[in-house]
Amino acid sequence: MGAVWYPFRALKRLTAAKLAKLDEASLLELRICDLAPALDTGLIEERFDRLYEELEHRGLDFRPHFWFGEEWFSPDGVPGIGVPFYLGHPRLMRLERKQMLEVEGGPEKWCMKILRHEAAHTIDTAFRLRRRKGYREHFGRVTQKYPDFYKPKPNSRNFVQHLGMWYAQAHPIEDFAETFAVWLKPRSRWRSQYRGWPAMKKLEYMDELMKSLEGEKPVVTSRRRIEPVRTLRSKLRTHYTKKRDHYGMDLPGFFEGDLRRLFGDDPACAKNPPAVGFLKRVRPTIRATVARWTGQYQYAIDQVLHEMIQICREKKLRLRTDEDDALRDTIVLVTVKTMNYLHGGRHRVAL
């Protein structure tokens, strides 16, 4: 059976059932706004209900609203959370995984980590917390220019770790959000985990600040939705082209000398399996493992692996050891190269 193609006129009122049947080519030709009628809030509502329970357990009488947008975000001046459109339909989550190799916020644990972070921004806005002297003393002035990129210092103990990639170091508002998320997490052991760290003072301040808000009503109560799906006219193809450019530009490539530690073309390797076939087979395993240990985006790591495969093909390199050892050594090499780049202070992480 051939690909399913729906003319644009037939998609003026896209349904969830039609969306489920769309092939990738047809889907990428849709505008994001075309998806609006087919999106289901069921999955994300369940996770927001869990967030609301966590806030209530902490005595916070506040419930941020949400809407589907292009990406995760909480806009200035609005105590609400934009949720990426792909979480509104299983077909869109499959497309996200195909295009970006992972679904940010898809698994429940990952989604709750993001929601706790974004909830911090909404509480900051709702109660105008950034105006407080204690906020500025502990996290800095929010008037600092928000960067397009930031250079993390992986060894610093002045910041908590929540989303990974030392995200708290990006800007004072992210430092606040990451600290709040660590504090909010149920059964969080932050008092023992961060004992002796300068970041402990921020957590203790957060604890005092949130206790002072128990039973308080928000000052800012706007229910506006900024850049909701129905207003986004970019095609999905354009959206993913820009997104891949954004997240795939960070890591340095490999040089031939790096690869010859693992693979070779000398007589001793002549009867061993080609490195290209090996790397293609283990590519998903390497990508996921290095991403887990470094916090780097899978898409960025995959671009490095793609370059490795290209070099191995051009030089006709073969394995020097058995496949188990080669897999282990390849993971180590990619991880070390990534971490050296991070610790060297040259890495710029896209926000």
Side-chain angles (χ1 to χ4, degrees):
M1 183 175 178
V4 179
W5 175 262
Y6 286 90
F8 176 71
R9 285 191 299 275
L11 292 170
K12 287 187 176 179
R13 190 66 183 176
L14 182 66
T15 65
K18 285 182 179 179
L19 179 57
K21 296 177 182 178
L22 283 177
D23 66 279
E24 185 173 325
S26 302
L27 195 50
L28 290 172
E29 288 304 311
L30 294 181
R31 299 173 303 173
I32 296 175
C33 59
D34 297 328
L35 304 172
L39 299 180
D40 181 6
T41 61
L43 172 65
I44 201 65
E45 281 180 346
E46 291 179 6
R47 294 174 182 180
F48 265 84
D49 284 343
R50 182 175 165 187
L51 174 68
Y52 297 158
E53 290 175 1
E54 293 179 7
L55 293 171
E56 183 178 9
H57 180 71
R58 290 290 197 167
L60 296 171
D61 185 16
F62 172 67
R63 305 293 178 267
H65 65 295
F66 74 90
W67 62 94
F68 284 121
E70 190 167 9
E71 299 290 350
W72 289 103
F73 76 113
S74 180
D76 283 342
V78 178
I81 300 172
V83 176
F85 61 84
Y86 55 75
L87 291 180
H89 197 286
R91 179 68 185 91
L92 296 174
M93 285 193 273
R94 291 199 302 274
L95 178 68
E96 178 75 12
R97 185 176 299 280
K98 177 71 178 297
Q99 295 290 319
M100 300 305 302
L101 305 175
E102 57 192 341
V103 181
E104 187 177 25
E108 183 178 13
K109 183 177 179 181
W110 193 358
C111 186
M112 292 311 302
K113 291 182 73 170
I114 295 172
L115 286 180
R116 292 181 191 113
H117 176 98
E118 297 298 343
H121 292 313
T122 66
I123 288 175
D124 184 359
T125 296
F127 293 94
R128 293 176 175 167
L129 298 179
R130 63 186 62 182
R131 298 183 180 185
R132 302 193 180 200
K133 181 180 178 181
Y135 186 115
R136 296 193 299 272
E137 289 176 345
H138 287 86
F139 302 104
R141 294 185 176 276
V142 300
T143 52
Q144 293 180 28
K145 183 179 179 181
Y146 199 95
D148 292 326
F149 303 89
Y150 67 98
K151 297 180 180 180
K153 297 177 181 177
N155 291 324
S156 176
R157 291 194 168 193
N158 292 316
F159 305 88
V160 299
Q161 276 274 29
H162 175 67
L163 288 179
M165 296 305 295
W166 305 278
Y167 197 44
Q169 299 183 33
H171 189 272
I173 65 171
E174 305 302 352
D175 191 8
F176 175 86
E178 289 286 84
T179 303
F180 174 87
V182 168
W183 172 85
L184 179 65
K185 181 183 176 183
R187 298 176 296 279
S188 174
R189 301 176 63 185
W190 57 266
R191 291 189 185 278
S192 58
Q193 182 179 354
Y194 291 97
R195 183 180 293 119
W197 288 40
M200 176 62 81
K201 292 182 180 179
K202 297 177 183 179
L203 284 161
E204 291 173 339
Y205 170 73
M206 185 67 67
D207 192 48
E208 294 174 3
L209 178 61
M210 292 302 120
K211 285 178 180 176
S212 75
L213 296 180
E214 290 181 9
E216 293 292 321
K217 296 295 182 181
V219 178
V220 179
T221 58
S222 171
R223 306 292 289 184
R224 288 178 60 203
R225 300 181 176 192
I226 307 300
E227 298 181 358
V229 160
R230 59 181 174 77
T231 67
L232 304 175
R233 302 193 177 279
S234 295
K235 285 187 176 183
L236 287 173
R237 188 180 303 280
T238 303
H239 164 79
Y240 281 114
T241 297
K242 291 181 178 179
K243 191 170 183 177
R244 287 194 301 270
D245 287 344
H246 188 64
Y247 290 116
M249 60 190 283
D250 297 313
L251 291 178
F254 274 73
F255 297 105
E256 183 180 339
D258 295 317
L259 296 182
R260 288 190 180 275
R261 302 178 197 175
L262 304 174
F263 314 117
D265 57 0
D266 50 86
C269 303
K271 295 183 179 181
N272 294 343
V276 169
F278 164 75
L279 288 174
K280 284 183 176 181
R281 287 195 304 277
V282 301
R283 187 173 182 172
T285 300
I286 296 173
R287 187 177 66 221
T289 303
V290 176
R292 184 170 67 251
W293 283 106
T294 66
Q296 190 45 279
Y297 291 100
Q298 285 202 36
Y299 184 77
I301 294 168
D302 194 68
Q303 302 314 294
V304 174
L305 293 171
H306 175 74
E307 184 175 347
M308 291 174 67
I309 290 171
Q310 292 297 103
I311 295 174
C312 288
R313 178 179 289 112
E314 292 171 7
K315 302 301 179 181
K316 299 180 180 180
L317 301 181
R318 293 177 174 271
L319 271 64
R320 291 188 180 277
T321 60
D322 63 59
E323 292 199 356
D324 287 343
D325 287 344
L327 174 59
R328 180 200 62 211
D329 293 343
T330 303
I331 289 174
V332 169
L333 178 61
V334 178
T335 301
V336 168
K337 191 172 181 68
T338 302
M339 292 307 296
N340 283 344
Y341 198 60
L342 289 170
H343 281 268
R346 301 180 303 277
H347 182 62
R348 304 204 307 167
V349 182
L351 296 171

